Amino acid sequence: MTLKPFDRRSFLQMLAAAGSAPFVLDIGAAHAETPLTVGILYSGSKQDYGFNQSHAQAAAALKKQPGIKVIEEERVPETIAAQRSMEGMIRQDGAQLILATSFGYFKPHVLEMAAKYPDVTFAHTGGVWTAGMPENIGTFYAYIFEAQYISGIVAGHMTKSKKLGLVAAKPTPNLLRSINAFAIGARSVDPAIQVQVIFTGDWVLPVREAEATNTLVDQGADVIAAQVDSPKVVIETAEKRGVMSCGYHSSQAEVAPNGYLTGAEWNWITPYLVYAGSVRGGKKPEHYLRAGISDHFVKNSPFGKLVTPEARAAADKARADLIGGTLVVYSGPLKDNKGNVVIPAGVMQSSNDRALDGINYLVEGIIGQV
Amino acid sequence: MDVTSIGWLTLPLAILGGAIRVSTPFIFVSIGELITEKSGRINLGLEGTLMLGAMAGYGVSYLSGSPWLGVLAAGLAGTAFGLVHGLLCSVKRVNDTAIGISLIVLGTGLAFFFGKPLIEPKAPALPSISLGFWSSVPQVRAASDVNALFFVGILLAFAVYVFLNRTGWGLMLRTVGDSEDAARALGFPVLRVRILATMAGGFLAGIGGSFLSLSYPGSWSEGLSSGQGIMAVALVIFARWRSINALGASLLFGGAGALGPALQGVGVTGYYYLFNAAPYILTLAIMVASTSRAAPFADAPGELKLHR
């Protein structure tokens, strides 16, 4: 690629500063006659109170934009069926942009389809584009752990037992980053706070998630955070047991009107609009698009009614500091929960530091094991 | 919010609580399957029936406001599925195993299709009976919140035992299951008995499903069942076709299933994949230990096509 890649940060900041409306109105006015068709694939149900729902919400927001037509397909398995689905969207509906929202779609399905249809842009959630892959592929993801850090601060302010519980699926690097950020946030309020994590072993296991939640409450945790694919069961069980909860992916406030504090949510509409914009502008898609809270890629659920003014103020300050760049979640000195120094004093690993990609430890103050 | 930590005591409490909370669907599905298998047929489709029951129970509870009506609806949906299985398998040269597998797919598909609008609404849940009034420890109180269906399940195991061993109809059912020729010679309506037995099995499996959506974990979602319906079929073999054993096997399975999260809870943080597999390892170990070279199918109904 000889063109200098367009400056994502300034573009996004402009987007954030001006709000997305003028930008979208502009593409709408210019191309009102030929709507841009966007095809979106989900691996599960759109209403899972979780990851797929966070994408479906962005898709609903995308539908409201003028000049954009959205077609969706749910429960597309991460098999050859994904290729058939993408091909159908392209050939029958004339999709010019495919948003493949599940990790397993990338290799080989998106790669093969992108090679076969070089005029269509493919954007994939979570994949990593490397040189040699088709040029019409973009990969995007968001630094959700920044929002988890803020959830941790709220939880740290609200806990009375100084013990937080966390139900997590599998110790993948992305989840570990979030678990650690949650603990770092909570312990920035009070270093005596401990976070107990239970790994269920898979992404969707409702009965075991409920069991894990009960066990954590029995152990004295009074805030339960969920890091599974569909946190509904965990949040509901916490509510039944009368403890507070922090959500993930999308807002679960509805299922826990009393105890829901806040949650870490994806805000996929921002990367969606980036890719819609590059298709409109006839540009190559951004191959490796990653951003966090400062670029509106992630957000926190609105505070629940229990959250005290101090906790709100602390969370808002942390958000402002993260956006301003004066606060970095992974700052040394940082120890893991076995006592090893993982980030020495004076070293800061900012959110886009690729050193965090392979994270394989739990930080000090977490009871649990990778 | 009075929270106290009780440390290691959580472990037996979690296993006991888990046995009570997790085992109920296993009890219903395995006893239902036991009745079906006693008639000489195997219905592998109970996983589909379970999902359909979970969806139907949740839907009717939401629409009518009464969770018990939901349980009834789940049972009826299961009965209908049992009828389909029973009728199809009554056609000559139709294989009951293959029909069962296709019913898993059909039941799950129907449940997803009709369950689409049920993911978001909140249906009234089955009430639980609080047996922890004697204790001031909140953890004990929580573990002693037992759903009424659990007690129904225990009674059911004993009732089925009495039915099979002490009643004329039970004898007829067992005869049909053990020897079709003998049953015909005695003038028993073989096909009708088998169809009714499969319907009864479906009824109970449907109720087992409604427990998942109406009590624990207590909401309808597409990932609700993690193979409970399939495991229950294995539990019947494990229990050597005896209803009281099936109750015990379900309790054991439920308790072992709680082990994984509970051990991590008390600070045994490693090897959780292994502990999560505990129920399956336990089942395999007991099955191996209880085999007999001399009479491998001693307890199996004679007409059951497991060993042909």
Side-chain angles (χ1 to χ4, degrees):
Chain A
M1 214 164 72
T2 49
L3 272 166
K4 193 176 174 288
F6 83 107
D7 187 353
R8 163 176 61 85
R9 184 158 287 269
S10 60
F11 171 69
L12 290 171
Q13 270 162 357
M14 177 204 80
L15 196 72
S20 50
F23 158 74
V24 174
L25 281 178
D26 179 49
I27 55 169
H31 302 271
E33 274 105 50
T34 51
L36 168 66
T37 305
V38 183
I40 306 181
L41 289 80
Y42 311 96
S43 63
S45 162
K46 269 161 57 180
Q47 306 156 293
D48 60 354
Y49 277 96
F51 186 76
N52 290 302
Q53 186 158 333
S54 72
H55 276 288
Q57 282 167 353
L62 194 63
K63 266 183 207 165
K64 293 204 185 95
Q65 312 290 353
I68 290 187
K69 190 181 149 209
V70 175
I71 41 172
E72 300 167 274
E73 192 171 336
E74 294 176 77
R75 237 181 280 114
V76 181
E78 295 172 336
T79 61
I80 195 86
Q83 295 192 30
R84 260 184 250 127
S85 170
M86 288 185 242
E87 202 151 22
M89 287 172 172
I90 294 165
R91 295 175 69 136
Q92 286 169 18
D93 304 292
Q96 295 144 276
L97 172 62
I98 296 287
L99 297 166
T101 66
S102 184
F103 189 78
Y105 293 151
F106 194 58
K107 261 181 198 170
H109 311 299
V110 165
L111 295 179
E112 283 182 14
M113 284 294 110
K116 191 169 173 186
Y117 297 99
D119 296 335
V120 178
T121 300
F122 294 80
H124 178 263
T125 320
V128 177
W129 186 90
T130 49
M133 288 182 182
E135 288 291 326
N136 52 333
I137 294 180
T139 63
F140 63 98
Y141 209 58
Y143 300 130
I144 192 76
F145 69 91
E146 296 180 347
Q148 291 285 7
Y149 175 80
I150 292 171
S151 288
I153 289 178
V154 174
H157 272 276
M158 296 306 299
T159 177
K160 292 185 185 73
S161 66
K162 302 295 171 198
K163 190 157 188 183
L164 313 176
L166 207 158
V167 182
K170 293 180 189 181
T172 63
N174 179 49
L175 230 54
L176 288 177
R177 246 191 295 188
S178 281
I179 294 167
N180 287 335
F182 183 81
I184 294 170
R187 287 165 56 82
S188 73
V189 179
D190 181 352
I193 289 175
Q194 289 196 309
V195 180
Q196 180 145 28
V197 58
I198 291 185
F199 291 104
T200 60
D202 215 336
W203 297 110
V204 184
L205 283 172
V207 174
R208 197 176 292 157
E209 286 159 14
E211 274 303 299
T213 311
N214 277 317
T215 300
L216 288 168
V217 177
D218 287 346
Q219 281 293 325
D222 62 350
V223 181
I224 302 291
Q227 296 198 11
V228 293
D229 246 20
S230 171
K232 188 185 180 195
V233 163
V234 174
I235 307 291
E236 263 181 348
T237 311
E239 182 85 352
K240 274 186 214 158
R241 292 291 303 263
V243 299
M244 298 173 276
S245 52
C246 289
Y248 186 32
H249 296 308
S250 53
S251 176
Q252 290 89 33
E254 274 173 50
V255 300
N258 293 317
Y260 192 76
L261 298 177
T262 183
E265 295 183 34
W266 310 94
N267 194 30
W268 296 122
I269 184 65
T270 318
Y272 282 13
L273 287 174
V274 171
Y275 287 110
S278 58
V279 175
R280 282 290 193 213
K283 295 197 191 86
K284 290 267 179 245
E286 177 86 342
H287 292 314
Y288 183 83
L289 179 60
R290 299 290 190 275
I293 205 157
S294 51
D295 292 319
H296 299 264
F297 272 48
V298 296
K299 61 185 176 184
N300 282 87
S301 321
F303 296 121
K305 62 181 181 187
L306 285 180
V307 183
T308 56
E310 300 85 68
R312 287 168 197 243
D316 288 339
K317 181 175 185 305
R319 181 178 298 117
D321 289 349
L322 280 171
I323 292 171
T326 52
L327 177 68
V328 172
V329 175
Y330 282 89
S331 305
L334 193 66
K335 279 187 187 167
D336 68 10
N337 63 356
K338 297 186 187 99
N340 309 317
V341 176
V342 283
I343 301 177
V347 175
M348 288 207 240
Q349 291 181 344
S350 54
S351 295
N352 60 358
D353 194 326
R354 299 296 290 268
L356 291 173
D357 284 359
I359 192 165
N360 61 353
Y361 54 85
L362 290 167
V363 296
E364 192 179 10
I366 298 181
I367 308 167
Q369 199 173 318
V370 175
Chain B
M1 223 175 298
D2 179 27
V3 182
T4 43
S5 174
I6 55 169
W8 270 91
L9 268 178
T10 321
L11 191 60
L13 203 61
I15 293 172
L16 182 74
I20 292 171
R21 286 187 296 253
V22 180
S23 61
T24 309
F26 288 115
I27 297 176
F28 277 90
V29 182
S30 63
I31 290 182
E33 178 68 12
L34 184 134
I35 296 172
T36 307
E37 289 190 17
K38 276 285 182 189
S39 80
R41 274 196 191 145
I42 187 161
N43 182 2
L44 283 183
L46 292 189
E47 175 76 16
T49 313
L50 182 92
M51 285 305 273
L52 194 71
M55 184 279 297
Y58 199 74
V60 170
S61 170
Y62 170 64
L63 293 175
S64 71
S66 160
W68 292 107
L69 265 183
V71 172
L72 183 69
L76 292 178
T79 310
F81 245 53
L83 179 66
V84 171
H85 186 277
L87 287 177
L88 286 174
C89 294
S90 299
V91 180
K92 273 206 165 49
R93 298 180 63 183
V94 167
N95 181 295
D96 50 356
T97 311
I99 294 287
I101 291 171
S102 62
L103 285 185
I104 296 180
V105 182
L106 179 65
T108 317
L110 283 176
F112 285 4
F113 179 72
F114 289 111
K116 201 86 228 167
L118 294 173
I119 298 173
E120 279 187 30
K122 185 117 192 66
L126 285 170
S128 42
I129 303 166
S130 209
L131 297 176
F133 49 82
W134 48 273
S135 172
S136 59
V137 184
Q139 288 90 337
V140 175
R141 279 170 170 268
S144 326
D145 269 353
V146 182
N147 194 286
L149 275 184
F150 175 70
F151 295 111
V152 176
I154 292 177
L155 289 179
L156 186 73
F158 288 95
V160 168
Y161 174 83
V162 172
F163 169 78
L164 287 175
N165 297 296
R166 295 281 184 276
T167 68
W169 284 9
L171 182 64
M172 178 159 80
L173 178 70
R174 284 190 293 139
T175 311
V176 167
D178 267 334
S179 168
E180 191 173 333
D181 294 339
R184 284 195 195 286
L186 286 165
F188 290 158
V190 172
L191 285 184
R192 203 189 308 157
V193 168
R194 285 186 175 160
I195 292 170
L196 285 174
T198 314
M199 285 166 73
F203 182 77
L204 295 180
I207 290 181
S210 74
F211 179 87
L212 286 175
S213 63
L214 291 175
S215 177
Y216 194 77
S219 65
W220 163 250
S221 70
E222 292 178 1
L224 189 59
S225 166
S226 30
Q228 279 99 329
I230 302 277
M231 270 323 288
V233 177
L235 286 183
V236 175
I237 304 172
F238 175 53
R240 312 303 304 170
W241 293 272
R242 294 190 186 107
S243 63
I244 314 282
N245 286 6
L247 172 67
S250 303
L251 286 171
L252 193 68
F253 204 76
L259 194 65
L263 275 175
Q264 285 189 71
V266 296
V268 182
T269 50
Y271 309 109
Y272 42 85
Y273 283 107
L274 195 65
F275 292 129
N276 282 339
Y280 309 97
I281 296 171
L282 199 70
T283 308
L284 277 176
I286 298 182
M287 278 189 125
V288 170
S290 64
T291 49
S292 156
R293 271 166 177 274
F297 298 105
D299 303 305
E303 288 290 320
L304 206 58
K305 295 179 183 74
L306 279 175
H307 52 285
R308 285 183 183 170

